[in-house]
Amino acid sequence: MANSGSGDSVVDRVVRVIAAFPDGVNVLPLSELAARAGLPLTTAHRLVRQLAGHGLLDVGSGGSVQLGLRLWELVNRNSPTLELRRAAMPFMEDIQQVLNQNVNLAVLDGWEALFVERLSRRGSVANRAQVAGRMPVHVSSAGLVLMANQPRAVQAEYLAGFTDPAGRLTVEELRIQLGEAAHQGYAQLAGVVDPDTWGIAVPVMNRKKRTVAAIGVVVPLREVRLQALVPALQTAARGIGRRLAESQSLPEGRD
């Protein structure tokens, strides 16, 4: 693949263009898109035109650019999380109905929890997790329980490079949290993302006993009932694992 004068490939530049759209923003002027992607305007214009030819971007009459339906179609048709979401949705709906709480589904991507599904109720507490949104492992119960169930080598690599930008958590404190989550079978965090909420999450395992996801709830801080929440989440997690096994399409955990 040909490189630019700066050494980045065409693929690198295409990814930068597509990734330049910030959360919640569907349309950008070409000049802003180029600036966000760190590309010369002429280069961005050429790439946008080529991507639009494949339906991956759409260009408006005024030169504005937005993500194309073809991109959405390909992602939703071939996403590795599609089977996971299908397997999890009935159980997430049950949790929401029984507990009347926000429910999240996340996977581990690097050192972040990537949220692949979310169910929320009108009038419930704030749920900062967004579908396709990310949170650092140490600030979400889903991230903690996912990391707590990774191989020791992965945990060691994560802890070796860990720093808390907020300065509220040390490596040793995080190590203790991961150990507790692994021992208890669930992770909990109070008031970290939002001072009025408590997050509880449990691991979802495939038939090889690898942790492939986390299912969790976000509840009001004053209404934490671990004796009710944790068993319900664990039952749902086992059900999701069985559905994944039946589907013969199993998301694999990180080795």
Side-chain angles (χ1 to χ4, degrees):
M1 190 68 67
N3 289 345
S4 69
S6 61
D8 56 346
S9 69
V10 173
V11 172
D12 292 330
R13 284 172 274 161
V14 166
V15 171
R16 282 157 58 187
V17 167
I18 293 175
F21 290 85
D23 290 347
V25 177
N26 299 320
V27 182
L28 287 175
L30 178 60
S31 57
E32 183 177 348
L33 179 63
R36 286 181 171 275
L39 295 171
L41 185 59
T42 54
T43 301
H45 182 269
R46 185 181 72 254
L47 290 175
V48 165
R49 186 176 67 252
Q50 292 172 344
L51 291 169
H54 292 282
L56 301 178
L57 293 177
D58 288 330
V59 180
S61 57
S64 60
V65 184
Q66 65 181 20
L67 296 174
L69 287 177
R70 178 65 172 165
L71 184 62
W72 174 89
E73 176 192 359
L74 292 172
V75 169
N76 281 276
R77 189 174 68 196
N78 300 309
S79 169
T81 65
L82 187 58
E83 285 299 326
L84 173 62
R85 293 170 64 193
R86 287 175 176 167
M89 186 56 74
F91 299 97
M92 294 180 68
E93 291 172 344
D94 287 346
I95 290 289
Q96 189 185 55
Q97 289 295 325
V98 172
L99 301 179
N100 197 33
Q101 303 292 353
N102 300 307
V103 189
N104 300 321
L105 183 70
V107 297
L108 187 66
D109 187 26
W111 308 142
E112 296 176 309
L114 172 62
F115 291 88
V116 298
E117 192 55 85
R118 183 188 88 161
L119 297 179
S120 298
R121 279 191 176 276
R122 183 185 298 273
S124 59
V125 295
N127 186 0
R128 305 300 181 189
Q130 301 290 328
V131 174
R134 296 170 178 268
M135 288 186 184
V137 159
H138 71 285
V139 303
S140 83
S141 57
L144 280 179
V145 85
L146 284 165
M147 183 57 68
N149 286 276
Q150 296 303 304
R152 290 185 178 180
V154 174
Q155 293 186 33
E157 182 184 354
Y158 167 63
L159 290 169
F162 173 76
T163 56
D164 181 6
R168 294 179 296 191
L169 186 68
T170 67
V171 173
E172 187 55 36
E173 288 170 337
L174 178 56
R175 192 189 309 275
I176 292 171
Q177 288 182 347
L178 292 174
E180 290 177 344
H183 175 72
Q184 295 171 161
Y186 67 90
Q188 56 175 318
L189 280 179
V192 174
V193 177
D194 189 293
D196 297 322
T197 64
W198 194 307
I200 301 104
V202 305
V204 175
M205 297 184 182
N206 64 18
R207 63 182 175 185
K208 297 179 181 178
K209 301 303 180 183
R210 292 180 177 176
T211 294
V212 294
I215 182 172
V217 292
V218 180
V219 301
L221 194 58
R222 64 185 181 278
E223 295 181 12
V224 174
R225 297 167 290 140
L226 290 178
Q227 68 276 14
L229 293 173
V230 172
L233 287 171
Q234 290 174 333
T235 298
R238 288 192 294 270
I240 297 169
R242 287 194 299 271
R243 286 284 184 90
L244 287 174
E246 292 166 0
S247 72
Q248 300 298 309
S249 179
L250 303 175
E252 293 294 332
R254 178 173 175 169
D255 290 325

